[in-house]
Amino acid sequence: MQAKKATSSQRPTADQDPADGAATVELISEFARTYDANPLSTVRQNALAESDASKLVLNQRVAMAIDRNFSTRLDDWGPTDQKSSGRCWLFAATNLLRAGVIKRLKLKSFEFSQSWLMFWDKLEKANYFLEAIRDTADRDVDDRTVVTILGNCVNDGGQWNMFVNIALKYGLVPKSAMPETLSSSSTGSMNLALTGRLRVAARALRALHAAGKPASDLREEKRKALDDVYTILRLHLGNPPDRFDWQWTDDKKKFHRELGMTPKAFRKKYATLPLEDYVCLVHDPRASSPFGRTFTVEYLGNVVEGGQVIYLNVEMATLKEIAMRSLKAGEPVWFGCDCSKMMHRDLAVWDARMFDYEGLYGVPLELSSKEDRLLYKRTAMNHAMLFTGVDEDHGKTRKWRVENSWGEKGDGKGFYVMNDSWFDEHLFEIAAPRSRLPAKLRAALSQAPIVLPAWDPMGSLAR
């Protein structure tokens, strides 16, 4: 049933009563009198005219109490840099794997190629997108699910399970085998071309379906689109190798060489963590998301035949305990969070009380619970990083050491301090070995996942 078009008589006008929804002259005059009567208004206005708000609201007690010592610290390597791309999830995942390579081969530094992973992720996402368009071709183009699919066709972001899908299907290579290009480090132009081609294909596929054309016609249209996507990726990212030679010098200055390695053989030999055993644990406190249940999000993924993006929802205390035990066992921890909240980039610190914007403006600006922030679009997981340390006292965590992928900028030289108060409020997920879960949660993994709609905030991607 179509909604009726609004007429001129339905639009609010300046002389309507406020009860009818208009912002009247009288109402605005009342706002002005209230503002002018407040002695702090002029002080705040003058301060904001000359200073950035973040400098005025910085909690100096938190800033001056920063401590970068940890009871458990694993890293002895430098940071990586995703630059102007949304590949944080790939950097965090390869940083997890490189820790073992550095230790095992006695290297001073090492990186897997994130450009290699991005190449295959983009191609697989394009295929996943086109399959989703075919699957929803009988729906209206303004159907909410179709709109969501069209809006997320091939962006840079991802999730832990999506990394596992690519690593298992295509393998891994060292950075020297497929180095960075301008487009891997700054993806804007490439993404514009990919998005344009895929939306042209989406329109064509839907038109073929509407015209009653056979499935073979739709498959051929999809094949042509994927061929073009592959061409765009080769032009921007270079040539993914079938085989490569790898040579390195260890910390004792001994030279090593491996000839004719395949990406899958390289992964099996040097990325020794059992990726298939890792599961994604999340903290989603919404009443509609019971703890101890698995979830997935409709049309969230990259490899059509690969593993689903599946989350196991757990209490925050459980998530924190598993992360701490993993670190104390010598294993860094991949995690996802809303990094934009209460972050001081120069100081390289997150703290739940880092800034007091409400004190500056004198108005409520933040929803008090994580549940409400999810429901009212005030938060979502948007960045993935790596825990490389924890500071705990008799089992009680105090703060966490974080390897970011934003280069060496800031006081931490690429490594951040996350105070425990921030962890509780803004952390959403970790990847952990199945063996670290209590028996009850391991059993819960066998359940069929609850399917959330495509637009659910738990379907957001780290970038």
Coordinates of all heavy atoms in Angstrom, one line a residue, residues 247-307:
Q247 N 63.5 -15.4 0.4 CA 64.8 -15.5 1.1 C 64.8 -14.5 2.2 O 64.2 -13.4 2.1 CB 65.9 -15.3 0.1 CG 65.8 -14.1 -0.8 CD 66.8 -14.1 -1.9 OE1 67.1 -15.2 -2.5 NE2 67.5 -13.0 -2.2
W248 N 65.5 -14.8 3.3 CA 65.6 -14.0 4.4 C 66.9 -14.2 5.2 O 67.5 -15.2 5.0 CB 64.4 -14.2 5.3 CG 64.3 -15.5 6.1 CD1 64.7 -15.7 7.4 CD2 63.9 -16.8 5.6 NE1 64.6 -17.0 7.7 CE2 64.1 -17.7 6.6 CE3 63.5 -17.2 4.4 CZ2 63.8 -19.1 6.5 CZ3 63.2 -18.6 4.2 CH2 63.3 -19.5 5.3
T249 N 67.2 -13.3 6.1 CA 68.3 -13.4 7.0 C 67.8 -13.3 8.4 O 67.1 -12.4 8.8 CB 69.3 -12.2 6.7 OG1 69.7 -12.3 5.3 CG2 70.6 -12.4 7.6
D250 N 68.2 -14.3 9.2 CA 67.7 -14.3 10.6 C 68.5 -13.4 11.5 O 69.5 -12.7 11.1 CB 67.7 -15.7 11.2 CG 69.0 -16.4 11.3 OD1 70.0 -15.6 11.4 OD2 69.1 -17.6 11.2
D251 N 68.2 -13.3 12.8 CA 68.8 -12.4 13.7 C 70.3 -12.8 14.0 O 71.0 -12.0 14.7 CB 68.0 -12.2 15.0 CG 67.9 -13.5 15.8 OD1 68.4 -14.6 15.3 OD2 67.2 -13.5 16.8
K252 N 70.7 -13.9 13.6 CA 72.1 -14.3 13.7 C 72.9 -14.1 12.4 O 74.0 -14.6 12.2 CB 72.2 -15.8 14.1 CG 71.5 -16.2 15.4 CD 72.1 -15.5 16.6 CE 71.4 -16.0 17.8 NZ 71.8 -15.3 19.0
K253 N 72.2 -13.4 11.5 CA 72.8 -13.1 10.2 C 73.0 -14.3 9.3 O 73.9 -14.3 8.4 CB 74.1 -12.2 10.3 CG 73.9 -10.9 11.0 CD 75.1 -10.1 11.1 CE 74.8 -8.7 11.7 NZ 76.0 -7.9 11.8
K254 N 72.2 -15.3 9.5 CA 72.3 -16.5 8.7 C 71.3 -16.4 7.5 O 70.1 -16.1 7.8 CB 72.0 -17.8 9.5 CG 72.2 -19.0 8.7 CD 71.9 -20.3 9.5 CE 72.1 -21.5 8.7 NZ 71.8 -22.8 9.5
F255 N 71.7 -16.6 6.3 CA 70.9 -16.5 5.1 C 70.1 -17.8 4.9 O 70.6 -18.9 5.0 CB 71.8 -16.2 3.9 CG 71.0 -16.0 2.6 CD1 70.3 -14.8 2.4 CD2 71.0 -17.0 1.7 CE1 69.6 -14.7 1.2 CE2 70.3 -16.9 0.5 CZ 69.6 -15.7 0.3
H256 N 68.8 -17.6 4.4 CA 68.0 -18.7 4.1 C 67.2 -18.4 2.8 O 67.0 -17.3 2.4 CB 66.9 -18.9 5.2 CG 67.4 -19.1 6.6 ND1 67.6 -20.3 7.2 CD2 67.8 -18.2 7.5 CE1 68.1 -20.1 8.4 NE2 68.3 -18.8 8.6
R257 N 66.9 -19.5 2.1 CA 66.2 -19.4 0.8 C 65.2 -20.5 0.6 O 65.6 -21.7 0.9 CB 67.1 -19.3 -0.3 CG 66.4 -19.1 -1.7 CD 67.4 -19.1 -2.8 NE 68.2 -17.9 -2.9 CZ 69.5 -17.8 -3.1 NH1 70.2 -18.9 -3.2 NH2 70.1 -16.6 -3.1
E258 N 64.0 -20.2 0.2 CA 63.0 -21.2 -0.3 C 62.6 -20.9 -1.7 O 62.2 -19.8 -2.0 CB 61.8 -21.1 0.6 CG 62.0 -21.5 2.1 CD 61.5 -23.0 2.3 OE1 61.3 -23.7 1.3 OE2 61.3 -23.3 3.5
L259 N 62.7 -21.9 -2.6 CA 62.5 -21.7 -4.0 C 61.1 -22.3 -4.4 O 60.8 -23.4 -4.0 CB 63.6 -22.2 -4.8 CG 65.0 -21.7 -4.6 CD1 66.0 -22.4 -5.5 CD2 65.0 -20.2 -4.9
G260 N 60.4 -21.6 -5.3 CA 59.3 -22.2 -5.9 C 58.1 -22.5 -5.0 O 57.4 -23.5 -5.2
M261 N 57.9 -21.7 -4.0 CA 56.9 -22.0 -3.0 C 55.5 -21.5 -3.6 O 55.4 -20.5 -4.3 CB 57.1 -21.2 -1.7 CG 58.3 -21.7 -0.9 SD 58.1 -21.3 0.9 CE 57.0 -22.6 1.4
T262 N 54.5 -22.3 -3.3 CA 53.1 -21.9 -3.6 C 52.5 -21.2 -2.4 O 53.0 -21.4 -1.2 CB 52.2 -23.1 -3.9 OG1 52.0 -23.9 -2.8 CG2 52.8 -23.9 -5.1
P263 N 51.5 -20.3 -2.6 CA 50.9 -19.6 -1.4 C 50.3 -20.6 -0.4 O 50.4 -20.3 0.8 CB 49.8 -18.7 -2.1 CG 50.4 -18.5 -3.5 CD 51.1 -19.7 -3.9
K264 N 49.7 -21.7 -0.9 CA 49.1 -22.6 0.1 C 50.2 -23.3 0.9 O 50.1 -23.6 2.1 CB 48.2 -23.6 -0.6 CG 46.9 -23.0 -1.1 CD 45.9 -24.1 -1.6 CE 44.6 -23.5 -1.9 NZ 43.6 -24.5 -2.3
A265 N 51.3 -23.7 0.2 CA 52.4 -24.3 0.9 C 53.0 -23.4 1.9 O 53.4 -23.8 3.0 CB 53.4 -24.8 -0.1
F266 N 53.1 -22.1 1.5 CA 53.7 -21.1 2.5 C 52.9 -21.0 3.7 O 53.4 -20.9 4.8 CB 53.9 -19.8 1.7 CG 54.6 -18.7 2.5 CD1 56.0 -18.7 2.5 CD2 53.9 -17.8 3.2 CE1 56.7 -17.8 3.3 CE2 54.6 -16.8 4.0 CZ 56.0 -16.8 4.0
R267 N 51.6 -20.9 3.5 CA 50.7 -20.8 4.7 C 50.8 -22.0 5.6 O 50.9 -21.9 6.8 CB 49.2 -20.7 4.3 CG 48.2 -20.6 5.4 CD 46.8 -20.7 5.0 NE 46.4 -22.0 4.6 CZ 46.1 -23.1 5.4 NH1 46.2 -22.9 6.7 NH2 45.8 -24.2 4.9
K268 N 50.8 -23.2 5.0 CA 50.9 -24.4 5.8 C 52.2 -24.5 6.6 O 52.2 -25.0 7.7 CB 50.7 -25.7 5.0 CG 49.2 -25.8 4.5 CD 49.1 -27.0 3.6 CE 47.6 -27.2 3.1 NZ 47.5 -28.3 2.2
K269 N 53.3 -24.1 6.0 CA 54.6 -24.2 6.6 C 54.9 -23.1 7.6 O 55.5 -23.4 8.7 CB 55.7 -24.2 5.5 CG 57.1 -24.4 6.1 CD 58.1 -24.7 5.0 CE 59.4 -25.0 5.6 NZ 60.4 -25.3 4.5
Y270 N 54.4 -21.9 7.4 CA 54.8 -20.8 8.2 C 53.7 -20.2 9.1 O 54.0 -19.6 10.1 CB 55.5 -19.7 7.4 CG 56.8 -20.2 6.8 CD1 56.9 -20.4 5.4 CD2 57.9 -20.4 7.6 CE1 58.1 -20.9 4.9 CE2 59.1 -20.9 7.1 CZ 59.2 -21.1 5.7 OH 60.4 -21.6 5.2
A271 N 52.4 -20.3 8.6 CA 51.3 -19.8 9.5 C 50.8 -21.0 10.2 O 49.8 -21.6 9.8 CB 50.3 -19.1 8.6
T272 N 51.4 -21.3 11.4 CA 51.1 -22.5 12.0 C 49.9 -22.5 13.0 O 49.5 -23.6 13.5 CB 52.4 -23.0 12.8 OG1 52.7 -21.9 13.7 CG2 53.5 -23.2 11.9
L273 N 49.3 -21.4 13.2 CA 48.1 -21.4 14.0 C 46.9 -22.1 13.3 O 46.7 -22.0 12.1 CB 47.6 -19.9 14.3 CG 48.5 -19.1 15.3 CD1 47.9 -17.7 15.5 CD2 48.6 -19.8 16.6
P274 N 46.2 -22.9 14.0 CA 45.1 -23.7 13.4 C 43.8 -22.8 13.2 O 42.9 -22.7 14.0 CB 44.8 -24.7 14.5 CG 45.1 -24.1 15.8 CD 46.3 -23.2 15.5
L275 N 43.8 -22.1 12.0 CA 42.8 -21.1 11.8 C 41.4 -21.7 11.8 O 40.4 -21.1 12.2 CB 43.0 -20.5 10.4 CG 44.3 -19.7 10.2 CD1 44.4 -19.1 8.8 CD2 44.3 -18.5 11.2
E276 N 41.3 -23.0 11.4 CA 40.0 -23.6 11.4 C 39.4 -23.8 12.8 O 38.2 -23.9 13.0 CB 40.0 -25.0 10.7 CG 40.5 -24.9 9.3 CD 42.0 -25.2 9.2 OE1 42.8 -24.8 10.1 OE2 42.5 -25.8 8.2
D277 N 40.3 -23.7 13.8 CA 39.9 -24.0 15.2 C 39.4 -22.7 15.9 O 38.8 -22.7 17.0 CB 41.0 -24.6 16.0 CG 40.6 -25.0 17.4 OD1 39.6 -25.7 17.6 OD2 41.3 -24.6 18.4
Y278 N 39.7 -21.5 15.2 CA 39.3 -20.3 15.9 C 37.8 -19.9 15.7 O 37.3 -20.2 14.6 CB 40.2 -19.1 15.3 CG 41.5 -19.0 16.0 CD1 42.5 -20.0 15.9 CD2 41.8 -17.8 16.7 CE1 43.7 -19.8 16.5 CE2 43.0 -17.7 17.4 CZ 44.0 -18.7 17.2 OH 45.2 -18.6 17.9
V279 N 37.2 -19.4 16.7 CA 35.8 -19.0 16.7 C 35.8 -17.5 17.1 O 36.6 -17.0 17.8 CB 34.9 -19.8 17.6 CG1 34.9 -21.3 17.1 CG2 35.4 -19.7 19.1
C280 N 34.7 -16.9 16.7 CA 34.5 -15.4 17.0 C 33.5 -15.3 18.1 O 32.3 -15.7 18.0 CB 34.0 -14.7 15.7 SG 34.4 -13.0 15.7
L281 N 34.0 -14.7 19.2 CA 33.1 -14.4 20.4 C 32.8 -13.0 20.4 O 33.6 -12.1 20.2 CB 33.9 -14.8 21.7 CG 34.5 -16.2 21.8 CD1 35.3 -16.3 23.1 CD2 33.5 -17.3 21.6
V282 N 31.5 -12.7 20.6 CA 31.0 -11.3 20.7 C 30.3 -11.0 22.0 O 29.9 -11.9 22.7 CB 30.1 -11.0 19.5 CG1 30.8 -11.2 18.1 CG2 28.8 -11.8 19.6
H283 N 30.2 -9.7 22.3 CA 29.4 -9.2 23.4 C 28.3 -8.3 22.8 O 28.6 -7.2 22.4 CB 30.2 -8.5 24.4 CG 29.4 -7.9 25.5 ND1 29.1 -6.6 25.7 CD2 28.7 -8.6 26.5 CE1 28.4 -6.5 26.8 NE2 28.1 -7.7 27.3
D284 N 27.1 -8.9 22.7 CA 26.0 -8.1 22.2 C 24.9 -8.2 23.3 O 24.2 -9.2 23.5 CB 25.4 -8.8 20.9 CG 24.2 -8.1 20.4 OD1 23.7 -7.1 21.0 OD2 23.6 -8.5 19.3
P285 N 24.8 -7.1 24.1 CA 23.9 -7.1 25.2 C 22.4 -6.8 25.0 O 21.6 -6.7 25.9 CB 24.5 -6.0 26.1 CG 25.0 -5.0 25.1 CD 25.5 -5.8 24.0
R286 N 22.0 -6.7 23.7 CA 20.6 -6.5 23.4 C 19.7 -7.6 23.9 O 20.1 -8.8 23.8 CB 20.4 -6.3 21.9 CG 21.1 -5.0 21.3 CD 20.9 -4.9 19.8 NE 21.6 -6.0 19.2 CZ 21.6 -6.2 17.8 NH1 20.9 -5.3 17.1 NH2 22.3 -7.2 17.3
A287 N 18.6 -7.3 24.3 CA 17.6 -8.3 24.9 C 17.3 -9.3 23.8 O 17.0 -10.5 24.1 CB 16.4 -7.6 25.4
S288 N 17.3 -8.9 22.5 CA 17.0 -9.8 21.4 C 18.1 -10.8 21.1 O 18.0 -11.7 20.2 CB 16.7 -9.0 20.2 OG 17.8 -8.2 19.8
S289 N 19.3 -10.6 21.8 CA 20.4 -11.5 21.5 C 20.9 -12.2 22.7 O 21.7 -11.7 23.5 CB 21.6 -10.6 21.0 OG 21.2 -9.9 19.8
P290 N 20.3 -13.4 23.0 CA 20.6 -14.1 24.2 C 22.1 -14.6 24.2 O 22.7 -15.0 23.2 CB 19.7 -15.3 24.2 CG 19.3 -15.5 22.7 CD 19.3 -14.1 22.2
F291 N 22.7 -14.6 25.4 CA 24.0 -15.1 25.6 C 24.0 -16.6 25.5 O 23.0 -17.3 25.8 CB 24.6 -14.7 27.0 CG 24.8 -13.2 27.1 CD1 24.2 -12.4 28.1 CD2 25.7 -12.6 26.3 CE1 24.4 -11.1 28.2 CE2 26.0 -11.2 26.3 CZ 25.3 -10.5 27.3
G292 N 25.1 -17.1 25.0 CA 25.2 -18.6 24.8 C 24.6 -19.1 23.5 O 24.4 -20.3 23.3
R293 N 24.2 -18.2 22.6 CA 23.7 -18.5 21.3 C 24.6 -18.0 20.2 O 25.3 -17.0 20.3 CB 22.3 -17.9 21.1 CG 21.2 -18.6 22.0 CD 21.0 -20.1 21.7 NE 20.8 -20.3 20.3 CZ 19.6 -20.3 19.7 NH1 18.5 -20.1 20.4 NH2 19.5 -20.6 18.4
T294 N 24.6 -18.8 19.1 CA 25.3 -18.3 17.9 C 24.4 -17.5 17.0 O 23.2 -17.7 17.0 CB 25.8 -19.5 17.1 OG1 24.8 -20.4 16.8 CG2 26.9 -20.3 17.9
F295 N 25.1 -16.6 16.3 CA 24.4 -15.7 15.4 C 25.1 -15.6 14.0 O 26.3 -15.8 14.0 CB 24.3 -14.2 16.0 CG 23.5 -14.1 17.2 CD1 24.0 -14.4 18.5 CD2 22.2 -13.7 17.2 CE1 23.3 -14.3 19.6 CE2 21.4 -13.7 18.3 CZ 22.0 -13.9 19.5
T296 N 24.4 -15.2 13.0 CA 25.0 -14.8 11.8 C 24.1 -13.7 11.2 O 23.1 -13.4 11.8 CB 25.1 -16.0 10.8 OG1 25.9 -15.6 9.6 CG2 23.7 -16.4 10.3
V297 N 24.6 -13.0 10.2 CA 23.9 -11.9 9.6 C 23.7 -12.2 8.1 O 24.6 -12.6 7.4 CB 24.7 -10.6 9.8 CG1 24.0 -9.4 9.1 CG2 25.0 -10.3 11.2
E298 N 22.4 -12.0 7.7 CA 22.1 -12.3 6.3 C 22.9 -11.6 5.3 O 23.2 -10.4 5.5 CB 20.6 -12.0 6.1 CG 20.0 -12.4 4.8 CD 18.5 -12.0 4.7 OE1 18.1 -11.0 5.3 OE2 17.8 -12.7 4.0
Y299 N 23.4 -12.3 4.3 CA 24.3 -11.7 3.3 C 25.5 -11.1 3.8 O 26.0 -10.1 3.2 CB 23.4 -10.7 2.4 CG 22.3 -11.4 1.7 CD1 21.0 -11.1 2.0 CD2 22.5 -12.4 0.7 CE1 19.9 -11.7 1.4 CE2 21.5 -13.0 0.1 CZ 20.2 -12.7 0.4 OH 19.1 -13.3 -0.2
L300 N 26.1 -11.6 4.9 CA 27.4 -11.1 5.3 C 28.4 -12.2 5.1 O 28.3 -13.3 5.6 CB 27.3 -10.8 6.8 CG 28.7 -10.4 7.5 CD1 29.1 -9.1 6.9 CD2 28.5 -10.3 9.0
G301 N 29.4 -11.9 4.2 CA 30.4 -12.9 3.9 C 31.2 -12.5 2.7 O 31.1 -11.4 2.2
N302 N 32.2 -13.3 2.3 CA 32.9 -13.0 1.1 C 33.1 -14.3 0.2 O 32.8 -14.1 -1.0 CB 34.3 -12.5 1.5 CG 35.1 -13.3 2.4 OD1 34.7 -14.4 2.9 ND2 36.4 -13.0 2.6
V303 N 33.4 -15.4 0.7 CA 33.5 -16.6 -0.1 C 32.2 -17.4 -0.1 O 31.8 -17.9 0.9 CB 34.7 -17.5 0.4 CG1 34.9 -18.7 -0.5 CG2 36.0 -16.7 0.3
V304 N 31.6 -17.5 -1.3 CA 30.3 -18.2 -1.3 C 30.3 -19.6 -0.7 O 29.4 -20.0 0.1 CB 29.8 -18.2 -2.8 CG1 28.6 -19.1 -2.9 CG2 29.5 -16.8 -3.3
E305 N 31.3 -20.4 -1.1 CA 31.4 -21.7 -0.6 C 32.2 -21.8 0.7 O 32.4 -22.9 1.3 CB 32.0 -22.6 -1.6 CG 33.5 -22.5 -1.8 CD 34.0 -21.3 -2.6 OE1 33.2 -20.4 -2.9 OE2 35.2 -21.4 -3.1
G306 N 32.6 -20.7 1.3 CA 33.4 -20.7 2.5 C 32.6 -20.7 3.8 O 31.3 -20.9 3.7
G307 N 33.2 -20.6 4.9 CA 32.6 -20.6 6.2 C 31.7 -19.4 6.4 O 32.0 -18.3 5.9

